[in-house]
Amino acid sequence: MSTRMPDSTVVNTPVAEVDILAETWTKIAEACTFFMTHTPAETKAWYDTNRYMATYTLVYRYCVCPRLQTGQAAAGGSYHGEQLYIKLEGWLRETFSSIAAELAAIPDHRTRAAGYQAYWERCWIASRHIEAMLMYMERSWLEKNQNVKIGGAYPERIRQLVLLRWFEIV
């Protein structure tokens, strides 16, 4: 089976033989990192319609692929959406911890406050792009599993998750 990936490479490996979660997450993490480390103008230029559609399609295919059906969540949602959500939350924790450490190292309070504001603005804009990229996962898995605990907590919508992790860590 041939699958077209966002970077236009073709993988000629059967779906069951590929670590689809790692492959999918690598592409998503690449985009998330770009959103968090570049200005809105740079993001708009880089994240054009073709890149958006390729990434959205990748998430869609990951969530609906019929492989590994043994991992269904208790409420009937896709296990695959849960794994992407967990990876996103881990990425947010790691990214925000790095930002918090960088800001804590700034001795001048005014400079630190300006840095905090700049990071927050970039983070909030990035969260809109991340939410759009993961929209299918949010609709297909998250909305179905609002009453199912993951790691002791109920899952949050993507932008709420970003906001909560930001205030928790930074």
Side-chain angles (χ1 to χ4, degrees):
M1 178 178 183
S2 179
T3 307
R4 184 155 301 278
M5 304 312 288
D7 63 0
S8 299
T9 60
V10 177
V11 179
N12 292 313
T13 309
V15 173
E17 295 177 20
V18 177
D19 184 356
I20 297 171
L21 174 60
E23 187 176 329
T24 302
W25 178 250
T26 298
K27 300 294 182 185
I28 293 170
E30 174 188 320
C32 290
T33 300
F34 191 92
F35 299 148
M36 285 296 295
T37 57
H38 290 79
T39 66
E42 293 168 328
T43 297
K44 187 176 183 178
W46 180 78
Y47 202 60
D48 61 6
T49 303
N50 292 333
R51 191 163 293 196
Y52 165 76
M53 287 306 298
T55 310
Y56 180 91
T57 301
L58 184 68
V59 171
Y60 171 81
R61 286 183 181 156
Y62 177 80
C63 288
V64 300
C65 188
R67 82 224 173 273
L68 303 174
Q69 292 301 316
T70 58
Q72 294 298 314
S78 170
Y79 172 74
H80 310 297
E82 179 179 353
Q83 294 304 308
L84 285 179
Y85 185 88
I86 290 168
K87 289 221 175 255
L88 175 63
E89 186 168 17
W91 181 85
L92 288 170
R93 287 181 185 281
E94 182 180 314
T95 300
F96 292 165
S97 293
S98 175
I99 290 170
E102 184 179 326
L103 290 172
I106 299 172
D108 178 53
H109 295 298
R110 289 183 185 189
T111 305
R112 186 181 315 143
Y116 182 92
Q117 180 181 0
Y119 268 120
W120 171 246
E121 288 172 0
R122 186 172 288 172
C123 170
W124 194 241
I125 291 167
S127 73
R128 289 194 324 235
H129 291 294
I130 293 168
E131 180 181 52
M133 180 174 57
L134 298 174
M135 190 182 305
Y136 184 81
M137 181 200 73
E138 187 170 75
R139 283 194 324 245
S140 69
W141 175 79
L142 193 57
E143 288 179 3
K144 293 176 186 174
N145 290 289
Q146 286 294 306
N147 298 323
V148 177
K149 285 189 176 183
I150 299 171
Y154 295 103
E156 300 292 338
R157 302 200 57 81
I158 302 297
R159 291 189 78 187
Q160 291 171 330
L161 177 67
V162 170
L163 180 66
L164 289 171
R165 292 304 157 257
W166 175 268
F167 287 118
E168 173 188 318
I169 296 168
V170 181

